[in-house]
Amino acid sequence: MDNEEILNEETLANSVQQNNSEEQGSTEAKPKKHKSNELKKEIEELNNKLSDAENKMQEYLFSAQRLQADFDNYRKRNLEIYKTSKNEGIAETVKNILPVLDNLKRAELIEKSEGVTQIIKQFNDILKKMGIIEIPAKKSDLFNADFHYAVMQDDSGEFEQGTITDILQEGYMFENGKIIRFSMVKVAI
Protein backbone atom coordinates (compact mmCIF):
# COMPACT_ATOMS: atom_id res chain seq x y z
CA MET A 1 0.00 0.00 0.00
CA ASP A 2 1.24 3.41 -0.76
CA ASN A 3 1.13 6.44 1.49
CA GLU A 4 -1.90 7.91 -0.07
CA GLU A 5 -3.95 4.83 0.50
CA ILE A 6 -2.81 4.61 4.11
CA LEU A 7 -3.74 8.26 4.63
CA ASN A 8 -7.20 7.71 3.17
CA GLU A 9 -7.72 4.72 5.39
CA GLU A 10 -6.60 6.62 8.46
CA THR A 11 -8.86 9.54 7.59
CA LEU A 12 -11.72 7.19 7.02
CA ALA A 13 -11.04 5.39 10.30
CA ASN A 14 -10.82 8.71 12.16
CA SER A 15 -14.04 9.93 10.69
CA VAL A 16 -15.81 6.64 11.57
CA GLN A 17 -14.40 6.85 15.07
CA GLN A 18 -15.55 10.45 15.43
CA ASN A 19 -19.03 9.60 14.20
CA ASN A 20 -19.17 6.66 16.55
CA SER A 21 -18.17 8.76 19.54
CA GLU A 22 -20.76 11.43 18.62
CA GLU A 23 -23.43 8.79 18.21
CA GLN A 24 -22.49 7.21 21.48
CA GLY A 25 -22.59 10.55 23.22
CA SER A 26 -26.00 11.39 21.83
CA THR A 27 -27.42 7.91 22.48
CA GLU A 28 -26.07 7.87 25.99
CA ALA A 29 -27.88 11.10 26.89
CA LYS A 30 -31.16 10.04 25.27
CA PRO A 31 -31.40 6.57 26.79
CA LYS A 32 -30.87 7.94 30.29
CA LYS A 33 -33.96 10.12 29.95
CA HIS A 34 -35.79 7.39 28.14
CA LYS A 35 -34.80 4.78 30.74
CA SER A 36 -35.87 6.97 33.70
CA ASN A 37 -39.30 7.50 32.10
CA GLU A 38 -39.60 3.77 31.50
CA LEU A 39 -38.63 3.06 35.10
CA LYS A 40 -41.21 5.55 36.38
CA LYS A 41 -43.89 3.92 34.24
CA GLU A 42 -42.82 0.47 35.41
CA ILE A 43 -42.87 1.56 39.05
CA GLU A 44 -46.28 3.15 38.57
CA GLU A 45 -47.60 -0.05 36.95
CA LEU A 46 -46.15 -2.16 39.76
CA ASN A 47 -47.70 0.15 42.38
CA ASN A 48 -51.07 -0.16 40.62
CA LYS A 49 -50.74 -3.94 40.52
CA LEU A 50 -49.74 -3.97 44.20
CA SER A 51 -52.73 -1.79 45.07
CA ASP A 52 -55.04 -4.08 43.09
CA ALA A 53 -53.54 -7.13 44.79
CA GLU A 54 -54.00 -5.54 48.24
CA ASN A 55 -57.64 -4.74 47.40
CA LYS A 56 -58.21 -8.33 46.23
CA MET A 57 -56.51 -9.62 49.37
CA GLN A 58 -58.85 -7.49 51.52
CA GLU A 59 -61.86 -8.81 49.57
CA TYR A 60 -60.70 -12.40 50.04
CA LEU A 61 -59.99 -11.83 53.72
CA PHE A 62 -63.42 -10.28 54.26
CA SER A 63 -65.01 -13.13 52.30
CA ALA A 64 -63.14 -15.73 54.35
CA GLN A 65 -64.12 -14.04 57.63
CA ARG A 66 -67.76 -13.89 56.54
CA LEU A 67 -67.65 -17.52 55.47
CA GLN A 68 -66.15 -18.47 58.85
CA ALA A 69 -68.87 -16.53 60.69
CA ASP A 70 -71.57 -18.14 58.54
CA PHE A 71 -70.13 -21.58 59.28
CA ASP A 72 -70.01 -20.85 63.02
CA ASN A 73 -73.66 -19.75 62.92
CA TYR A 74 -74.56 -22.85 60.89
CA ARG A 75 -72.78 -25.08 63.42
CA LYS A 76 -74.57 -23.39 66.34
CA ARG A 77 -77.96 -23.68 64.62
CA ASN A 78 -77.35 -27.35 63.89
CA LEU A 79 -76.32 -27.97 67.48
CA GLU A 80 -79.55 -26.33 68.67
CA ILE A 81 -81.59 -28.32 66.15
CA TYR A 82 -79.83 -31.49 67.31
CA LYS A 83 -80.57 -30.77 70.97
CA THR A 84 -84.18 -29.86 70.23
CA SER A 85 -84.70 -32.94 68.07
CA LYS A 86 -83.08 -35.17 70.68
CA ASN A 87 -85.29 -33.77 73.45
CA GLU A 88 -88.40 -34.08 71.28
CA GLY A 89 -87.48 -37.70 70.51
CA ILE A 90 -86.94 -38.43 74.19
CA ALA A 91 -90.22 -36.72 75.11
CA GLU A 92 -92.14 -38.70 72.47
CA THR A 93 -90.61 -41.98 73.62
CA VAL A 94 -91.29 -41.22 77.28
CA LYS A 95 -94.92 -40.28 76.48
CA ASN A 96 -95.35 -43.71 74.92
CA ILE A 97 -93.76 -45.50 77.89
CA LEU A 98 -95.48 -43.57 80.68
CA PRO A 99 -98.77 -45.53 80.41
CA VAL A 100 -96.78 -48.69 81.24
CA LEU A 101 -95.33 -46.97 84.31
CA ASP A 102 -98.82 -45.79 85.28
CA ASN A 103 -100.13 -49.36 85.07
CA LEU A 104 -97.25 -50.65 87.17
CA LYS A 105 -98.03 -48.04 89.83
CA ARG A 106 -101.70 -49.09 89.82
CA ALA A 107 -100.65 -52.73 90.12
CA GLU A 108 -98.42 -51.82 93.07
CA LEU A 109 -101.38 -50.17 94.83
CA ILE A 110 -103.52 -53.26 94.38
CA GLU A 111 -100.93 -55.82 95.36
CA LYS A 112 -97.63 -54.96 96.99
CA SER A 113 -94.99 -56.87 95.10
CA GLU A 114 -91.26 -56.36 95.43
CA GLY A 115 -90.79 -57.14 91.72
CA VAL A 116 -93.22 -54.41 90.63
CA THR A 117 -91.65 -51.96 93.08
CA GLN A 118 -88.20 -52.74 91.62
CA ILE A 119 -89.45 -52.20 88.05
CA ILE A 120 -90.98 -48.83 89.04
CA LYS A 121 -87.67 -47.86 90.68
CA GLN A 122 -85.79 -48.83 87.50
CA PHE A 123 -88.19 -46.76 85.39
CA ASN A 124 -87.68 -43.74 87.66
CA ASP A 125 -83.88 -44.18 87.61
CA ILE A 126 -83.86 -44.29 83.81
CA LEU A 127 -86.06 -41.21 83.61
CA LYS A 128 -83.77 -39.38 86.02
CA LYS A 129 -80.70 -40.27 83.90
CA MET A 130 -82.52 -38.80 80.91
CA GLY A 131 -83.08 -35.56 82.82
CA ILE A 132 -86.78 -36.21 83.40
CA ILE A 133 -88.44 -35.67 86.76
CA GLU A 134 -91.92 -36.14 88.13
CA ILE A 135 -93.92 -32.93 88.46
CA PRO A 136 -94.37 -32.29 92.15
CA ALA A 137 -98.06 -32.49 92.99
CA LYS A 138 -99.79 -33.54 96.18
CA LYS A 139 -103.12 -33.05 97.86
CA SER A 140 -103.66 -29.54 99.28
CA ASP A 141 -101.20 -27.95 96.82
CA LEU A 142 -102.53 -24.98 94.88
CA PHE A 143 -103.55 -25.78 91.35
CA ASN A 144 -100.99 -24.45 88.85
CA ALA A 145 -102.02 -24.50 85.19
CA ASP A 146 -98.34 -24.49 84.18
CA PHE A 147 -97.92 -28.00 85.63
CA HIS A 148 -101.39 -29.42 86.29
CA TYR A 149 -104.30 -30.39 84.10
CA ALA A 150 -107.64 -30.26 85.91
CA VAL A 151 -109.87 -33.08 84.71
CA MET A 152 -112.34 -33.15 87.60
CA GLN A 153 -113.82 -30.79 90.16
CA ASP A 154 -114.39 -31.50 93.83
CA ASP A 155 -117.19 -29.62 95.57
CA SER A 156 -117.05 -31.50 98.86
CA GLY A 157 -115.94 -28.41 100.77
CA GLU A 158 -113.18 -30.44 102.44
CA PHE A 159 -110.41 -28.44 100.65
CA GLU A 160 -109.87 -24.77 99.96
CA GLN A 161 -111.01 -23.53 96.56
CA GLY A 162 -108.30 -23.90 93.87
CA THR A 163 -106.38 -26.62 95.68
CA ILE A 164 -105.64 -30.12 94.44
CA THR A 165 -107.86 -32.75 96.08
CA ASP A 166 -106.51 -35.79 94.24
CA ILE A 167 -103.75 -36.72 91.77
CA LEU A 168 -105.21 -38.94 89.07
CA GLN A 169 -102.05 -39.29 86.98
CA GLU A 170 -98.49 -38.08 87.63
CA GLY A 171 -96.97 -35.59 85.27
CA TYR A 172 -93.39 -35.48 84.03
CA MET A 173 -91.07 -32.77 82.79
CA PHE A 174 -87.47 -32.21 81.83
CA GLU A 175 -85.26 -30.74 84.55
CA ASN A 176 -85.19 -27.49 82.55
CA GLY A 177 -88.96 -27.18 83.04
CA LYS A 178 -90.23 -28.35 79.62
CA ILE A 179 -93.39 -30.35 80.22
CA ILE A 180 -93.69 -33.86 78.79
CA ARG A 181 -97.04 -34.66 80.38
CA PHE A 182 -99.11 -32.51 82.75
CA SER A 183 -100.27 -33.96 86.07
CA MET A 184 -103.96 -34.83 85.88
CA VAL A 185 -105.63 -33.60 89.03
CA LYS A 186 -108.96 -33.08 90.73
CA VAL A 187 -109.46 -29.50 91.94
CA ALA A 188 -111.66 -28.09 94.72
CA ILE A 189 -114.25 -25.52 93.65
Side-chain angles (χ1 to χ4, degrees):
M1 273 205 202
D2 61 340
N3 284 340
E4 201 175 286
E5 282 182 7
I6 293 174
L7 256 183
N8 281 340
E9 275 186 28
E10 280 180 19
T11 312
L12 182 63
N14 282 340
S15 108
V16 167
Q17 212 174 25
Q18 194 177 13
N19 282 340
N20 279 346
S21 65
E22 283 176 12
E23 281 179 14
Q24 282 179 357
S26 65
T27 55
E28 283 179 15
K30 281 186 180 176
K32 282 185 182 177
K33 266 189 178 178
H34 183 62
K35 282 185 181 178
S36 70
N37 285 341
E38 277 184 26
L39 283 174
K40 284 181 183 178
K41 283 182 184 178
E42 244 183 89
I43 290 171
E44 192 176 307
E45 283 178 24
L46 289 173
N47 281 337
N48 288 339
K49 286 181 181 179
L50 179 63
S51 177
D52 290 345
E54 286 174 345
N55 290 339
K56 284 251 188 241
M57 184 217 35
Q58 288 298 325
E59 285 177 35
Y60 293 147
L61 179 63
F62 177 73
S63 179
Q65 288 170 338
R66 199 170 96 223
L67 186 63
Q68 180 67 41
D70 288 346
F71 181 73
D72 287 344
N73 291 336
Y74 168 79
R75 191 175 43 77
K76 288 174 187 173
R77 274 192 313 273
N78 275 355
L79 185 60
E80 276 303 309
I81 290 170
Y82 168 77
K83 286 178 183 177
T84 302
S85 297
K86 180 182 172 188
N87 286 342
E88 286 175 2
I90 289 171
E92 195 61 36
T93 302
V94 169
K95 279 181 191 178
N96 291 325
I97 293 173
L98 284 178
V100 176
L101 182 59
D102 295 335
N103 288 334
L104 286 169
K105 287 182 179 182
R106 286 186 200 102
E108 184 183 37
L109 289 174
I110 294 169
E111 184 181 321
K112 287 283 182 188
S113 164
E114 194 167 320
V116 173
T117 305
Q118 269 309 68
I119 293 172
I120 292 171
K121 184 183 177 319
Q122 282 179 321
F123 259 104
N124 288 328
D125 289 345
I126 290 169
L127 292 174
K128 188 174 183 177
K129 283 180 187 175
M130 295 168 77
I132 298 169
I133 57 173
E134 192 174 310
I135 293 174
K138 60 183 187 224
K139 289 182 180 180
S140 305
D141 281 354
L142 281 175
F143 173 78
N144 183 342
D146 292 335
F147 300 108
H148 309 126
Y149 180 61
V151 292
M152 295 179 80
Q153 296 178 341
D154 185 353
D155 59 358
S156 66
E158 188 180 330
F159 293 93
E160 238 181 85
Q161 184 179 2
T163 59
I164 297 171
T165 61
D166 198 9
I167 292 99
L168 305 172
Q169 188 179 60
E170 288 85 7
Y172 292 86
M173 67 180 180
F174 285 103
E175 289 174 339
N176 67 7
K178 185 176 185 272
I179 303 293
I180 295 172
R181 181 177 81 180
F182 290 93
S183 296
M184 281 199 231
V185 296
K186 189 178 196 180
V187 181
I189 54 170

